[in-house]
């Protein structure tokens, strides 16, 4: 699929596959760059900053990739091996938050600053869902799977991962046991507004429970997940 074609420096096609590259490549989501209809494979990790009109290729080299809360609309079309990945996240409180990433991580790397958990069961009431979770102190967190994270102290924490494979970004739906409801945990790499989350019949984690979206909640940031 082509996002942008050029001939003689003129733009002919720009569709849903189009993606900018700040280094100067005309990069498509198929993982190729185009110049005068010639395509050259290029590894990329696309993301958008708050003031960007569209995502850019933020992978400047394979020695270091930096991800933080300023990046949204994360997209990886083909797995990329990175020597070091720094993931920075702001924690305004020490309550549970959702976590959804496109790469495997060792649980022990998180536990200096945070607790990590996986969902075991949900109990739905009219407007919220209570969570039963299992703390994780060892093992792996799998790519494109939903987890919970809770900081031991507020502030900005950076987690460093060595020799990481960043997998294609897949917004999976994982089924979870509940009391008579069909519920799924849905990954998110974009930003979902409160209105759109309400249209999806979604629930967003607030405090110690998932609250049903009512159109006035905060938007759901990138690399989180929601219930539906």
């Amino acid at each position: 699929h082509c996002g942008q074609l050029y001939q003689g420096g003129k733009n002919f096609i720009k569709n849903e596959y189009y993606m900018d590259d700040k280094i100067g490549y005309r990069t498509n989501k198929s993982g190729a760059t185009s110049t005068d209809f010639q395509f050259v494979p290029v590894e990329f990790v696309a993301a958008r900053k708050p003031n960007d009109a569209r995502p850019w290729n933020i992978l400047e080299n394979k020695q270091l990739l930096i991800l933080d809360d300023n990046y949204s609309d994360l997209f990886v079309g083909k797995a990329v091996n990175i020597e070091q990945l720094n993931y920075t996240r702001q924690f305004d409180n020490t309550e549970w938050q959702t976590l959804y990433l496109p790469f495997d991580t060792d649980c022990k790397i998180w536990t200096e600053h945070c607790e990590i958990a996986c969902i075991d069961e949900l109990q739905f009431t009219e407007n919220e869902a209570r969570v039963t979770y299992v703390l994780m102190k060892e093992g792996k967190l799998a790519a494109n799977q939903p987890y919970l994270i809770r900081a031991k102290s507020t502030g900005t924490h950076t987690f460093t991962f060595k020799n990481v494979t960043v997998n294609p970004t897949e917004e999976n739906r994982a089924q979870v046991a509940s009391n008579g409801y069909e519920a799924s945990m849905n990954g998110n790499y974009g930003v979902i507004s409160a209105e759109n989350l309400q249209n999806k019949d979604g629930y967003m984690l607030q405090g110690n429970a998932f609250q049903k979206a009512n159109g006035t909640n905060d938007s759901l940031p990138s690399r989180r997940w929601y219930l539906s």
Side-chain angles (χ1 to χ4, degrees):
H1 296 286
C2 176
Q4 190 174 25
L5 287 179
Y6 276 77
Q7 186 178 43
K10 295 183 178 180
N11 182 354
F12 281 97
I13 299 174
K14 185 186 290 185
N15 60 24
E16 68 271 18
Y17 294 98
Y18 170 68
M19 180 185 67
D20 277 338
D21 187 322
K22 66 181 179 181
I23 301 175
Y25 297 113
R26 293 179 281 274
T27 308
N28 303 296
K29 285 188 175 181
S30 59
T33 58
S34 59
T35 302
D36 295 331
F37 298 106
Q38 295 180 348
F39 293 86
V40 180
V42 59
E43 293 178 312
F44 70 89
V45 175
R48 183 200 307 264
K49 282 193 172 182
N51 295 325
D52 291 342
R54 55 180 63 90
W56 297 89
N57 184 4
I58 63 172
L59 181 62
E60 297 185 3
N61 61 70
K62 296 176 66 175
Q63 284 72 51
L64 176 64
L65 176 64
I66 297 175
L67 288 177
D68 59 40
D69 286 337
N70 289 316
Y71 288 119
S72 65
D73 299 296
L74 188 67
F75 179 86
V76 180
K78 185 178 179 180
V80 183
N81 295 321
I82 306 295
E83 290 185 16
Q84 179 174 317
L85 191 154
N86 291 349
Y87 176 56
T88 300
R89 184 156 169 166
Q90 174 67 33
F91 295 90
D92 294 328
N93 55 57
T94 55
E95 297 176 342
W96 286 110
Q97 302 178 17
T98 57
L99 177 69
Y100 193 88
L101 297 171
F103 47 90
D104 295 347
T105 61
D106 191 325
C107 187
K108 292 181 179 179
I109 295 177
W110 299 97
T111 54
E112 178 181 355
H113 299 296
C114 297
E115 289 183 306
I116 295 291
C118 58
I119 298 292
D120 183 50
E121 189 179 26
L122 297 171
Q123 291 289 326
F124 280 89
T125 61
E126 183 177 357
N127 292 310
E128 68 176 26
R130 291 282 172 178
V131 175
T132 302
Y133 58 84
V134 177
L135 287 176
M136 300 176 62
K137 296 184 179 180
E138 57 184 19
K140 298 278 188 181
L141 280 67
N144 298 315
Q145 293 297 320
Y147 296 95
L148 296 175
I149 185 169
R150 178 167 61 185
K152 296 177 181 178
S153 62
T154 59
T156 301
H157 299 304
T158 297
F159 308 90
T160 298
F161 306 99
K162 300 286 189 178
N163 300 316
V164 175
T165 298
V166 182
N167 293 282
T169 45
E170 298 176 355
E171 296 181 338
N172 293 323
R173 294 170 58 91
Q175 299 300 312
V176 59
S178 64
N179 56 326
Y181 289 81
E182 292 185 4
S184 62
M185 300 176 288
N186 309 279
N188 172 56
Y189 286 114
V191 175
I192 304 179
S193 68
E195 182 179 2
N196 285 341
L197 194 62
Q198 183 182 26
N199 293 337
K200 295 174 181 288
D201 293 324
Y203 292 71
M204 189 166 67
L205 184 58
Q206 295 179 312
N208 293 318
F210 282 85
Q211 305 292 333
K212 189 172 185 179
N214 57 19
T216 63
N217 313 76
D218 293 333
S219 60
L220 182 70
S222 179
R223 297 177 298 283
R224 270 65 163 183
W225 56 273
Y226 65 95
L227 285 175
S228 65

